[in-house]
Amino acid sequence: MIPSSRAELSRVVWTRGRGCAEVAALLAGDRAIRIDGDLQRSCIRAGADALVARRLTSFDLVPTIVPHDFDADGVRSVVAAVADGPHSGLAARVAATVATALGVPGDLATVYRSDDEEATAVSRLEALAASAPGLGRRAIRHGSATGLIETLDAGTLLVVGAAGGSWIQRQILGPGHRLVVKTPGGSLVVRDEVRRAFQVAVDPAGFAIGRHMALGAARSVVLHRSVPVADDGVLVGIVRAADLTERPGSATVGDVMEPPVSVEAVEAVEAVEELREFLEGGPVPVVGRDGRLLGVVL
């Protein structure tokens, strides 16, 4: 069973930049990890659920959170500006986590422009509330996103999805001078991404076996209909439980294994499901760029 596609924010990495370390610590506590160098390699090694960085770039391997004028000591409340864009779910979860960590109140807020849109706005808040426990809800009627900005009290931290996702996000972060600079307590701009294979993989220890293992010994340890075969950490094959029958002499797993099949660490989790049937429900191998077995998805 593949875990939920939404980012759980339990493994957060951060790079150099004002407020990055503080935000990462609020989201993940002592599990937050400082990284540098090759971002892709670092995120995969850490199993990162999200990256806190000083700016948004083209790097899209994991969800990204960017602080602007963030000062934890000055935050008195947290508001997530949400709409129907792809980043609102992440904005809601980040706001709930930060508000809880700081011990301050938090709200989900959305703007609607006419009476006809009110019911949709309220439904949107209700749907997002399930993933953001403890947050209040505000539906504000106004012709522009400034209606939301104007309601923020001193010390309010605004969490908003990156521009391009929805009307309210484009208004707050669109062309020209950002409205986020007017937020009284700073802001966090978030951009969600699809869940990747490496983010749902577990340690391959206990699932992978060696190619030189005798078939009789392999039968006693293989608990699935198929398992990966690794040689010095590199995926070299797949063996099926049905093929682990005794043969004359000293037959090994390498004698009966099939060519390796796997998903790359950076692929979306949907790629895992494509191998499920072929592997008869066995663990799906996840490999790095060098072919090394990084983990398996159960």
Side-chain angles (χ1 to χ4, degrees):
M1 187 74 176
I2 297 176
S4 169
S5 61
R6 71 184 180 89
E8 300 296 339
L9 303 180
S10 60
R11 295 167 297 186
V12 176
V13 298
W14 56 278
T15 62
R16 182 180 60 184
R18 181 182 176 187
C20 291
E22 293 82 359
V23 171
L26 290 172
L27 294 171
D30 57 10
R31 293 168 297 183
I33 300 173
R34 167 77 158 90
I35 62 172
D36 54 21
D38 187 318
L39 282 182
Q40 178 170 303
R41 184 175 301 167
S42 296
C43 285
I44 292 174
R45 186 186 303 118
D49 293 312
L51 166 70
V52 183
R54 59 181 174 178
R55 64 178 182 270
L56 288 176
T57 68
S58 59
F59 182 72
D60 62 357
L61 184 67
V62 298
T64 303
I65 302 156
V66 176
H68 292 279
D69 298 324
F70 178 78
D71 177 13
D73 292 336
V75 175
R76 299 292 176 264
S77 63
V78 181
V79 170
V82 298
D84 56 357
H87 313 304
S88 287
L90 179 60
R93 294 191 296 276
V94 167
T97 303
V98 171
T100 298
L102 291 176
V104 299
D107 285 317
L108 296 173
T110 193
V111 177
Y112 64 97
R113 291 169 285 185
S114 68
D115 290 342
D116 293 341
E117 297 178 354
E118 182 177 9
T120 300
V122 172
S123 296
R124 179 187 305 133
L125 293 176
E126 291 176 350
L128 288 170
S131 62
L135 295 187
R137 307 171 202 172
R138 283 196 249 163
I140 302 162
R141 179 172 177 176
H142 201 279
S144 75
T146 58
L148 170 58
I149 304 296
E150 291 166 0
T151 68
L152 302 181
D153 297 326
T156 297
L157 174 69
L158 179 69
V159 185
V160 62
S166 67
W167 170 77
I168 188 172
Q169 291 162 345
R170 291 193 301 272
Q171 285 244 324
I172 293 177
L173 296 164
H177 193 59
R178 292 189 183 94
L179 287 180
V180 293
V181 301
K182 297 182 180 180
T183 57
S187 63
L188 302 178
V189 178
V190 306
R191 184 181 65 200
D192 209 354
E193 301 293 346
V194 298
R195 205 80 163 118
R196 310 287 181 171
F198 78 89
Q199 294 172 311
V200 298
V202 299
D203 193 323
F207 299 98
I209 60 176
R211 68 189 305 168
H212 301 298
M213 181 179 289
L215 296 186
R219 290 180 65 185
S220 66
V221 298
V222 171
L223 303 178
H224 299 273
R225 291 184 178 180
S226 66
V227 295
V229 182
D231 188 359
D232 290 331
V234 177
L235 181 70
V236 294
I238 297 293
V239 68
R240 300 181 188 274
D243 294 329
L244 297 176
T245 55
E246 293 285 3
R247 290 185 179 185
S250 56
T252 66
V253 169
D255 295 323
V256 299
M257 70 182 186
E258 302 173 5
V261 294
S262 62
V263 296
E264 292 189 11
V266 298
E267 291 188 80
V269 291
E270 286 75 14
V272 173
E273 201 59 44
E274 295 175 7
L275 287 181
R276 286 269 184 221
E277 184 176 353
F278 178 75
L279 294 176
E280 302 178 274
V284 178
V286 178
V287 299
R289 288 179 290 189
D290 56 1
R292 296 191 68 81
L293 183 61
L294 301 179
V296 298
V297 181
L298 301 178

